[in-house]
Amino acid sequence: MRLLVVEDELKMADYLRRALEGEGHAVEEAHDGDEALARALGEPFDAIVLDLNLPRRDGLDVLRQLRAAGRPTPVLILSARGQVDDRVAGLHLGADDYLPKPFAMAELLARVQALLREAVEERPTQLVHEDLVLDVATRSATRAGVRVDLPMREYGLLELLLRCAGRTLSRAQILEHVWGYHFDPGTNLVDVYIQRLRRKIDDAHPRKLIHTVSGLGYRLGAES
Ligand code: CA
């Protein structure tokens, strides 16, 4: 599962990331409210752990904007502000759970696990864009009803593109989400995999779905 940890205290962010990675999750960090909102809107996460006292933009406002944009990503609020009104405000704004600091890591991990379990149960099992259908349960794809075989990374790349349909993803974002790289390995890995996907998804069809956005990255969707 992909998680976003929003926390401005770097030590705490690091502590959370390591603990969640220890549970087998891929974890990204954001250290202020603006960065958190941009990432939460721009990339698919399975859950967000959100501190409230943040520089640049308050955690409650991040949550408000996220929900206003229609994103259902489960959010666990984690904050030293343990007062009842903060908790109530957070839950009213669409937070799924609330844990006051200081907290026991075991409890945090259990609550994140519970959020993810609920989210998986509610998540649609198919991602559809026009005649392209990805079945998340069986990890198989069809285009215009014809089965397309996808090895693991190609599947991961196509799933990411579909979850972010209509939005441009940079090579760095793709490397991070599909390969777990936090650095550019200095190869054209992403381009090679995009080429492979295009051969399988687009080559036999006049209507292309995977587009190069010059200087920025790649996007799945209608031509612009
Ligand atoms: Ca803080």
Side-chain angles (χ1 to χ4, degrees):
M1 294 283 177
R2 287 188 192 112
L3 308 178
L4 179 64
V5 167
V6 183
E7 169 62 73
D8 58 315
E9 285 166 56
L10 299 186
K11 269 193 178 161
M12 177 59 99
D14 190 57
Y15 175 53
L16 286 166
R17 182 174 53 72
R18 284 163 192 268
L20 290 163
E21 282 176 349
E23 299 287 294
H25 302 300
V27 183
E28 310 293 333
E29 293 177 26
H31 302 134
D32 67 57
D34 282 348
E35 185 192 5
L37 184 60
R39 298 200 67 163
L41 289 176
E43 303 167 45
F45 289 101
D46 295 298
I48 299 172
V49 176
L50 180 65
D51 183 32
L52 290 189
N53 285 313
L54 294 168
R56 299 165 77 98
R57 183 189 290 275
D58 186 75
L60 285 178
D61 194 50
V62 172
L63 178 60
R64 186 182 297 117
Q65 300 296 332
L66 193 65
R67 295 298 185 244
R71 298 303 159 76
T73 318
V75 171
L76 169 66
I77 287 181
L78 191 64
S79 177
R81 289 200 240 165
Q83 295 96 339
V84 173
D85 50 343
D86 272 336
R87 186 169 62 83
V88 170
L91 295 174
H92 269 299
L93 286 172
D96 301 86
D97 203 355
Y98 186 102
L99 193 58
K101 292 178 187 170
F103 57 88
M105 187 55 86
E107 182 171 13
L108 175 112
L109 294 176
R111 290 198 187 199
V112 167
Q113 228 34 61
L115 279 189
L116 291 170
R117 220 170 17 246
E118 285 166 31
V120 165
E121 280 159 14
E122 286 167 14
R123 181 188 271 190
T125 56
Q126 287 195 333
L127 297 169
V128 181
H129 187 87
E130 299 188 6
D131 58 357
L132 173 64
V133 179
L134 194 70
D135 189 307
V136 180
T138 61
R139 298 174 77 86
S140 60
T142 58
R143 172 112 201 235
V146 179
R147 163 127 193 183
V148 180
D149 282 318
L150 298 171
M152 186 177 78
R153 299 293 187 196
E154 291 174 34
Y155 171 87
L157 176 56
L158 186 59
E159 183 182 347
L160 177 66
L161 289 168
L162 269 163
R163 287 196 188 280
C164 298
R167 282 180 280 154
T168 300
L169 295 168
S170 69
R171 288 175 179 76
Q173 286 175 324
I174 293 172
L175 279 169
E176 231 172 75
H177 281 290
V178 179
W179 281 270
Y181 291 163
H182 292 270
F183 56 91
D184 186 340
T187 66
N188 58 350
L189 195 61
V190 171
D191 310 86
V192 168
Y193 273 78
I194 288 281
Q195 259 176 42
R196 289 187 193 167
L197 268 189
R198 280 185 163 142
R199 271 202 295 277
K200 295 181 178 182
I201 301 295
D202 276 345
D203 275 10
H205 303 272
R207 193 170 161 77
K208 309 303 180 194
L209 296 179
I210 300 172
H211 307 287
T212 304
V213 183
S214 185
L216 294 175
Y218 294 102
R219 181 175 55 79
L220 186 142
E223 266 169 277
S224 54

